[in-house]
Amino acid sequence: MKETMHSKILPVVGSGYNMPAYEEAYNNFSWEDVEKQFTWYETGKVNMAHEAIDRHIGTLRENKVALYYSDATRDEKYTFAELKTLSDKFGNVLRKLGVRKGERVFIFMPRTPELYVSVLGTIKVGAIVGPLFEAFMEGAVRDRLEDSEAVAIVTTPALLPRVPVKELPALKHVILVGAEGELEEGQVSYEKEMEQASEDFQIEWVDREDGLILHYTSGSTGKPKGVLHVHNAMIQHYQTAKWVLDLKDDDIYWCTADPGWVTGTSYGIFGPWLNGATNVIRGGRFSPHDWYSTIEKYKVTVWYSAPTAFRMLMGAGDEVVKQYNLSSLRHILSVGEPLNPEVVYWGTRVFNKRIHDTWWMTETGAQLICNYPSMPIKPGSMGKPFPGIVAAIVDDEGNELPPNRMGNLAIKVGWPSMMRKIWNNPAKYEEYFRLKGWYVSGDSAYMDEDGYFWFQGRVDDVIMTAGERVGPFEVESKLVEHPAVAEAGVIGKPDPVRGEIIKAFISLRDGYEATDELLEEIRQFVKVGLAAHAAPREIEVKDKLPKTRSGKIMRRVLKAWELGLPTGDLSTMED
Ligand code: ATP
Ligand code: MG
């Protein structure tokens, strides 16, 4: 089975990347060298917002555009100097309300410049920021604010009905963006407060180990966990954005992720601004035309997105790509789910660029295993460990397994951006470190003889069928290679004879109909292309697969549907 995934290698294209050749970079690396890049290495005074924004003031970057923002009604840009002033003012707004270091301030609003100003201002007063997807319903908002005892929330009048203020005793302040008319007690207007706020501001210097951001995980496998990251994470945000995203001073960078998801903060806020890059933020909903025109309009050079989006763009057809001038694109990356080889081949065809897969988790805070611009790519592989990171495949006792054996993907404990706690759940936190010296990811993978890692699925999703271990990802990737299949989610279904059988849920591309012949053809396609035992015994067609807000297929929901069991926490599911 593995041979099919190993077959092609995409060589390095071009030169001049920030990162040296992989082995050289890996062997000569030290995190301490990275620390020397920061102001605090000299001053001892730390604050993420200082390093990301304020530090650029007084340099050539001061009047450079830090943020391009557009949606259906707005089209704006902000320099680093402007973002500094605005976030200083918002810091004063929070101080006036009495928000103090270490308290939690949530941001629950659509992607707009005000969201970014609020995040930065919150960090500047030393408070912990909690970003939420604007699409969350009341239950999801309540759970997170309650769990973290948030003292303030920045939101909009349209979203306010989903904030159950009266049920949240700790929540003292509601800051409303775009409010008109009378406000109730406990509410203030963002605009009015900002207008009155002084530009004179003293940033709160914190300890490297002080709380920065509280991210609830995507909820793919169950109830989301509150993952706390600290200011120290900037070391890794900075270096990975430099080497993996390959950000340079003249780059126009677009991360399509919402800040409600860790990718939208680590690489939508911190990584790019620590490197002084220009960030593009596009508000509103996904559409292929809108996305391609965003790249064209801003001449985006570096683009970080997710497999679900790439699959949707692929599904929209090559003709759409040709209507836009995308020649500015220099570097493309993906995260969040396994990147199917078929998508990588599509990328090389339509963009004439390799798509670089990157693997990490909310808990890891930053990228850990990646494909680098300076390294050959094996499509279907998530790449190799970032310098300074030791990754391995271990068995359930923590013993390292030899190459090509499927097991637990684990990381040697101790990298700068590692989570520092799971909020209110120390037992859950300890579970990640149950194998001495290792952080256990919960993902199943193997490493090949060249040191490339291959994702197989979540440990709980690995299918045992007639004595064979099958990772759902390989089957899904084969399925989406078929021209009729837009997306696929594969689960193990209990079976008295085989232990489990493979069941595939698929959605079809436009123009295809779910006939018995087509489904049999798809089955044969997997059987011939992958392996007989990996061919799904059952295929069910759905209009849409259940997905998280961050775009991940929720296999646990497919499984619950199949078995008629309760679906569990659905707070993060897309409508
Ligand atoms: P929850 O932990 O709440 O169940 P989640 O694991 O989906 O949700 P995230 O932290 O957003 O929450 O996602 C991390 C997971 O996403 C990884 O453990 C992995 O399963 C998957 N993932 C991320 N990037 C990749 C990638 N490049 N290839 C394969 N899988 C990936
Ligand atoms: Mg997870």
Side-chain angles (χ1 to χ4, degrees):
M1 242 166 93
K2 282 160 195 161
E3 293 313 309
T4 54
M5 304 272 285
H6 282 202
S7 52
K8 289 186 199 169
I9 295 186
L10 304 179
V12 175
V13 186
S15 58
Y17 302 110
N18 287 338
M19 184 176 177
Y22 181 75
E23 274 71 26
E24 188 190 331
Y26 197 90
N27 294 334
N28 300 313
F29 187 82
S30 97
W31 288 116
E32 194 174 349
D33 287 344
V34 182
E35 291 178 19
K36 291 181 186 152
Q37 311 301 313
F38 296 101
T39 321
W40 50 261
Y41 195 78
E42 301 280 318
T43 64
K45 293 178 172 177
V46 187
N47 188 303
M48 171 71 94
H50 172 82
E51 302 295 329
I53 304 293
D54 300 5
R55 179 170 58 104
H56 305 309
I57 309 308
T59 74
L60 287 174
R61 290 173 179 156
E62 175 168 335
N63 294 314
K64 174 180 172 176
V65 175
L67 173 66
Y68 281 114
Y69 177 79
S70 65
D71 61 25
T73 59
R74 296 171 69 172
D75 195 341
E76 299 163 11
K77 60 181 181 206
Y78 298 83
T79 64
F80 281 101
E82 287 166 331
L83 276 189
K84 173 178 190 299
T85 306
L86 287 168
S87 53
D88 280 354
K89 289 175 87 172
F90 190 74
N92 278 328
V93 171
L94 290 177
R95 281 221 176 113
K96 185 175 147 200
L97 294 174
V99 173
R100 287 195 312 264
K101 183 182 163 201
E103 292 185 322
R104 276 74 59 208
V105 174
F106 273 67
I107 320 278
F108 177 43
M109 59 191 290
R111 245 176 294 182
T112 54
E114 293 74 33
L115 185 158
Y116 292 84
V117 168
S118 302
V119 168
L120 293 169
T122 300
I123 294 170
K124 282 189 168 181
V125 301
I128 298 172
V129 67
L132 298 176
F133 281 102
E134 63 167 307
F136 278 158
M137 300 311 279
E138 182 175 332
V141 176
R142 184 198 302 109
D143 281 358
R144 288 161 179 75
L145 268 65
E146 199 170 64
D147 184 53
S148 62
E149 295 172 283
V151 300
I153 188 167
V154 187
T155 188
T156 64
L159 295 175
L160 186 61
R162 297 194 217 145
V163 185
V165 181
K166 296 210 167 61
E167 298 166 42
L168 296 163
L171 187 68
K172 295 193 278 279
H173 311 288
V174 177
I175 302 164
L176 284 171
V177 179
E180 283 163 20
E182 287 291 293
L183 297 181
E184 288 176 20
E185 206 194 310
Q187 300 178 345
V188 296
S189 149
Y190 174 93
E191 290 78 9
K192 283 209 187 108
E193 295 297 318
M194 285 293 273
E195 205 181 288
Q196 290 165 13
S198 160
E199 290 183 12
D200 192 11
F201 177 77
Q202 282 302 313
I203 198 165
E204 182 88 32
W205 297 113
V206 299
D207 190 86
R208 287 161 69 159
E209 289 297 317
D210 279 333
L212 168 76
I213 192 162
L214 183 62
H215 260 296
Y216 285 81
T217 55
S218 292
S220 307
T221 60
K223 195 175 164 60
K225 306 162 278 271
V227 170
L228 181 74
H229 288 293
V230 298
H231 286 253
N232 192 61
M234 73 173 83
I235 299 169
Q236 199 166 340
H237 291 152
Y238 169 80
Q239 193 63 22
T240 49
K242 183 166 183 169
W243 279 3
V244 185
L245 305 179
D246 196 42
L247 291 178
K248 305 196 174 93
D249 249 303
D250 50 1
D251 273 314
I252 308 287
Y253 166 71
W254 185 29
C255 171
T256 62
D258 189 285
W261 178 30
V262 68
T263 303
T265 59
S266 292
Y267 297 104
I269 298 179
F270 307 134
W273 284 339
L274 287 167
N275 281 276
T278 298
N279 236 345
V280 171
I281 305 295
R282 174 74 193 168
R285 292 202 141 235
F286 172 89
S287 90
H289 282 282
D290 196 59
W291 275 36
Y292 290 139
S293 68
T294 299
I295 296 173
E296 185 178 71
K297 170 176 170 166
Y298 294 108
K299 301 194 169 55
V300 170
T301 55
V302 181
W303 181 29
Y304 198 12
S305 197
T308 180
F310 289 123
R311 285 193 297 258
M312 283 195 268
L313 292 172
M314 188 167 97
D318 296 6
E319 285 311 305
V320 191
V321 188
K322 290 184 194 137
Q323 295 166 25
Y324 297 89
N325 179 356
L326 307 180
S327 59
S328 59
L329 281 177
R330 175 172 78 72
H331 186 37
I332 310 178
L333 307 102
S334 170
V335 64
E337 274 205 302
L339 183 65
N340 320 91
E342 190 56 19
V343 177
V344 179
Y345 299 135
W346 166 80
T348 56
R349 197 173 71 239
V350 300
F351 305 125
N352 194 23
K353 290 280 169 308
R354 313 184 306 176
I355 303 180
H356 298 74
D357 191 14
T358 63
W359 176 89
W360 56 293
M361 311 168 62
T362 310
E363 294 90 328
T364 72
Q367 297 158 337
L368 291 185
I369 300 182
C370 306
N371 290 283
Y372 310 95
S374 58
M375 185 180 90
I377 287 180
K378 299 188 184 188
S381 159
M382 53 205 205
K384 294 191 183 188
F386 190 77
I389 302 295
V390 178
I393 305 300
V394 302
D395 66 15
D396 292 340
E397 274 73 54
N399 306 306
E400 282 188 52
L401 293 173
N404 295 319
R405 290 267 305 277
M406 203 195 292
N408 299 295
L409 174 57
I411 310 292
K412 246 300 137 57
V413 171
W415 61 92
S417 67
M418 189 172 85
M419 64 170 168
R420 296 303 196 263
K421 70 162 133 178
I422 300 279
W423 205 266
N424 279 336
N425 200 340
K428 188 89 209 169
Y429 184 79
E430 292 306 322
E431 255 178 51
Y432 290 90
F433 306 99
R434 62 186 179 273
L435 302 181
K436 213 176 158 334
W438 295 106
Y439 162 86
V440 185
S441 67
D443 286 348
S444 170
Y446 66 88
M447 187 187 76
D448 70 16
E449 50 292 341
D450 300 326
Y452 283 76
F453 284 77
W454 299 77
F455 179 88
Q456 297 296 290
R458 312 283 180 140
V459 169
D460 296 340
D461 291 342
V462 170
I463 301 163
M464 202 48 154
T465 182
E468 299 268 4
R469 270 149 69 86
V470 178
F473 172 52
E474 275 182 308
V475 184
E476 290 164 4
S477 280
K478 200 52 166 182
L479 285 162
V480 300
E481 215 179 294
H482 190 283
V485 181
E487 296 216 273
V490 163
I491 61 164
K493 175 178 174 179
D495 179 85
V497 180
R498 295 179 178 79
E500 284 181 303
I501 59 159
I502 297 175
K503 166 141 192 181
F505 293 85
I506 60 172
S507 66
L508 295 177
R509 290 218 207 173
D510 286 348
Y512 286 91
E513 254 191 75
T515 60
D516 288 348
E517 292 74 50
L518 178 65
L519 297 190
E520 184 52 28
E521 182 192 311
I522 293 171
R523 229 180 74 76
Q524 286 301 324
F525 183 78
V526 179
K527 189 169 170 181
V528 175
L530 196 56
H533 69 266
R537 295 213 151 236
E538 292 180 20
I539 301 181
E540 188 172 327
V541 178
K542 296 257 173 212
D543 287 344
K544 270 175 101 181
L545 299 182
K547 279 195 207 143
T548 64
R549 301 255 160 234
S550 45
K552 298 155 186 278
I553 296 169
M554 297 172 96
R555 290 173 193 79
R556 72 175 161 98
V557 173
L558 293 171
K559 198 149 184 167
W561 284 347
E562 184 61 37
L563 304 179
L565 295 172
T567 41
D569 185 296
L570 293 183
S571 63
T572 61
M573 193 157 105
E574 262 181 2
D575 341 272

